[in-house]
Structures are given as structure tokens and as C-alpha cells.
Amino acid sequence: MGWAGKVLRVKLTEGTYESEPLNMEWAEQFLGQRGLATKYLMESMDPAVDALDPGNVLIFANGPLTGSMAPTAGRYSVITKGALTNAVACSNSGGKVGAEIKLAGWDMVIIEGKSPKPVYLWIDDDHVELRDAEHLWGRSVWDIEPAIKSELSDPSIKVASIGRAGEQMVRFACVVNELHRAAGRSGVGAVMGSKNLKAVAARGSKGMTVNDPKKFMAAVAHAKSTLQPHPVRQRFIKLGTHAMLDVTHNYGSLPTRNERDVQFEGVDKLNAAASQKPHGPNDTVNLITNKACFGCTIACGRIAQIDPDHFSIQNKPQYHTASGGLEYENVFALGAMVGVDDIDAVTFANFVCNEDGMDTISFGGSLSAAMELYEEGVITREQTGVDLSFGSAEGLVKMAEECAKGVGFGAEIGLGAKRLCEKYGHPEFAMVVKGQEFPGYDARAMQGMALAYATSNRGACHLRASPFASDFETTETPGKAEIVRTTQDERAAMFDSAGICAFIAAAVNIDQIAAMLDGALETEWTADRIRETGERIWNLERMFNIKAGMGRKDDTLPDRMLHTPAPSGTAKGMVAKLDEMLPEYYEMRGWDEEGEPRGQTLTRLGLA
């Protein structure tokens, strides 16, 4: 109950697939989605295998609440060894495709090997096919999603696919579903491309059941009644995450020009207010409306348009329409991080990332590193073909298009910031942890986030811990390690493994989520069990990374964060105090000085 009880295992090399029962012993230990799929990943592959080798395994996974009536129960994850990081990767997405796979009767789809030619996977309840995709190869997400629906004569099909970036194995390629929702980080789309798998299409009609419908519906009603009037929900409806741009700018934690600055003078041209004001020769309003994922009453998604006379879309009719718009992470990465204050150019780059499946955070971070290389004279216009100075809207537009297609200097951007900067002799310009580019929070101004970045199992990430409230209150470090550790565990189980969205966290607490799980599943779930499950998941991911060759040396930050003080804002003159927090964090985790879980920790969690 809650679980569908079945796993679809696809062997691309042989062109075969089979159903197997869900391992319920593992499900009791790891819950679902991120946690359970990581257990399957560990048991299905050698973590030391190269991420783009056919021996890597790619898993589409749902949680026990995915597809249910729980609020925001539309989340699914793609789990693999990341092409960007060579670490464990779990990239989460909303939309409707996860629920569709669940409603077709599958808790997860495990994809092994490499197809000898391009294919896509078609799931129609119990009917499964690997279909030829050679006619779809070389086409963008925006092309192939309607093409698959037409080919299968069903407009209700949900599709998750890679664009040209995934085919080219751009290191930060992502998996896109419903045209502009994405399993965005760590290069999961590059792994999918390496397997010659273009898409997963699903249609489900089975529905799902829960163990105790009355208990479950009472818990759902309670959660929704808390969420409905909450002011955070109202803000998300009106502004999405875009509102955070003003917050980080004012605080001095907005990464700007490759983290050389922490505030951006062009913020008023890019913020949520700017997206709702007429601009350009046609008085175009960037933001058109909002959009919700499956089972969501928040609808934080943005739908936007570009001024039809803007240089970026001349003679490009596919962009003269509305599509996925600006949220905080993409407006920071494609705007402030590269110094561009042209909202139409930023929206265009975002459209291209959606169209061809690229992580906006990593693309912006990689481009900003290239811009610093350019301004320092390490690379030249002869190499780039365009002005790559900070603030160049033309450079942003051209590099987005070239990177998506794997051509020109854009192919160099597609290496990711770490590989790019190492290639050109300046690794210090890469604002990364474990090879993954920074999200939109400066690690000097936000000390809890500094520790969260350094210790995140999938590389720099703002969604693996939640020190935000503390970080916006104080730049002091006492208490940060405990906040990071606790929220890492809670988020691992509550959201990424249960199958619901983290954006309800401000309103719906851990006891309410435990109550929904308790009604859905056969065994008892409490807040304490959620926390223990999250701790088990976190340590399992750590074990994967250790077997992949990672350890204490990778739990660090760029020298700029550790040695160059923040130039302005609340934390002016400060650096990230990682050395104060990391030993305390290790001790709280029950790890040794090298960051390896001690035997008693693994035994206590059932991982020994």
C-alpha cells in the first residue's frame, strides 16, 4: 500500500525488460525515491565505474506518496552516478511524469547498459516497449515530446527526455519533463544520453491505494488546511522563488560575476517586480502566469515570454511563445552570476536550457568561470567568437545556443566549470564543490550554507539542507553544524524519498508528513522514524561516494570562499569558516576525522 510493489528493470544492451517485485525489506529501511533508489544503485553497480560507462545505472524513482492526494505529491527523482561530479546523483523534478509512472503501476524504472542505437522507453501500464528513436535523435525536447505523443496517438502521455545537450553528453545535461520541468543537477541527462536513451514516455490508468484510507485522508486534510492559508504559499503563488533575488542582494549573499561580488547593481532589472512590468519596444510583460505540478495547490512555476523584437529571438519563431519562466536559481545563474541585467536575454538562455536539457545553475556557473578566464586574458575573442566579458548579453545568448548543440566554444562550457578551469590552468576560478557549480547563495555570507555545500553528497546544493532561517539571522557559526545535519536527514526522507515537494516545509511539519506516511503505508511512521531513515540514506550515499574514491578532501570549498573576504553586504570582510564547523559536523555524524562513518554508526543504522 502506498507502494505499487513493482520495479521495471530495463536492459538496454540486450533490448529486454522485466518486472520484479519491490524489495519491501529495503523499502522499510529507505522509504522510496532517493533513499530506496540509492540502495538499488549500490546493489546494481560498482560505484567506481565511470559515470558515462555502460556499467553505470540510471533509475527513475517515485516515493510512496507520489501520485497520491497528498499535497504536492508529484515528485520523482533520477538517481545515478553523476556525469558532472562522479558522485552519487539524485536529481528531483515535479510536473506529472512521476505520478504517471506510478499510476502505471511502477515504483521505479532501473535502466542498465547501453542501447546499440537510439531508443525511447514506452510504458503503458503493464505494456512496455523499447521503441526506435533514431528519427528523434538530434532534436530538442520541445520537438520530441509532441512527436512521441503524436506517434503513440495519445496527447495525455507524459514524457521525460533529453535534448541535444544530453546526446552530446554535456556534463550538466538534465532530464526534462513537460517541456520545462527538470531533473536538473549533476549531469543525469548526460548519463541518459550515454545510454542512447532519448526519452521515457508513460501513460498510467491503474491508480494507487493506501493502507488506511480514512487515516490517510484525515492526515492529508490536516496538511492541506495548514498549507492553504500560509503566507509563504501566497508569496509562492504570486512571486514564485523569484522573490529571493531581492533578499540575497540586500543581504549580500547574491553570487555575482563568478562570486567576485555578492551584490548586483542590475537587480532591479531582473527581480520579480521587473518580471511583471512592461518593457521593451512592445511594452512586453515577461511573466504571464503561474503553473502547478501534479497534486499541487501552490503553483510556483512561472510561464514567461520574450519581447518579440529582442535580438535573441530574431528569425527564431519557436521562441515567440510562452514557456517556462524565471525562478530564483535561473535568474541568479543566468543574470547576476554572469553580470547580465537584460531580462529578455536571461529568459532566452533559460528557454534554451529547457529546450535542450541543460541545468541552468551549472550552465551559468560554467559561463561565469569562462567570463573570468576571458577578462583575465586566458582565453580570447578569437577562441570564443563573441565578447565574453561579464555583462555581455550577446555572449550569454551565443554560449547557451552553442553549449546546447556542443559546438564552438560552447562545447568548452559544456565541460562544466571544474574541467573548463583545469583545462585552461586556473582551477581556482571554478566555484564548485565535488565538481558541481554553486547555487545562488554566497558561502561567506551564509555560513550554514557553506557547510551544507561542502558536505552535500551530490556536490554544491541548496536543497540538501535548510539553514536559511539561521543564515539570514546571523553570520556566526555556533549551532550551524547541528542545523545542517538535522535538516539534511529530514529532507532526505521527508521530501526526496516520500515523493512530495520541499516547498511545503514552511507550513507542513514533520509530524504531519509522518501522519500521511503512516496512513499510506502498512507499518508505523513517526517523526523520529523519518529522521532515522534520513540519516540512514545520508550515510548510504556517503558510502557510495567513498567507494567511488571521494572523501574528506572533497568536503571543501573554493579558495575564494575560504580566503577572499566578502566585498560588501552583511558579511563584508568575512570568509567561510568551514574549518570551525566541519570537525563538529563529522563528530555529530558519527564519522571519523577523514569523514568515514564509524563502524558503530553503520551498525546502528543497519548499514554494516
Side-chain angles (χ1 to χ4, degrees), residues 55-69:
N56 194 5
V57 172
L58 183 74
I59 303 176
F60 285 68
N62 290 308
L65 296 182
T66 304
S68 76
M69 294 186 70

Side-chain angles (χ1 to χ4, degrees), residues 255-273:
T256 299
R257 289 179 282 270
N258 204 34
E259 298 270 9
R260 298 200 301 191
D261 298 300
V262 293
Q263 293 176 305
F264 183 43
E265 66 282 357
V267 69
D268 288 342
K269 296 180 181 179
L270 295 178
N271 60 13

Side-chain angles (χ1 to χ4, degrees), residues 26 49 74 89 116 161 170 183 188 213 218 235 274 290 325 350 368 381 386 399 404 451 507:
W26 293 353
V49 165
S161 61
V170 168
V188 297
R235 186 166 67 249
N290 58 340
N350 185 60
S368 71
R381 184 165 186 149
V386 68
M399 288 301 105
L451 180 62

Side-chain angles (χ1 to χ4, degrees), residues 11-23:
K11 299 182 178 181
L12 291 174
T13 306
E14 296 84 3
T16 62
Y17 30 83
E18 59 190 18
S19 171
E20 61 186 63
L22 184 70
N23 188 316

Side-chain angles (χ1 to χ4, degrees), residues 46 55 71 93 98 177 205 266 280 284 357 369 432 451 461 553 569 608:
D46 176 2
S93 182
N177 54 281
S205 63
T284 301
V432 301
L451 180 62
C461 179
K553 69 183 188 307

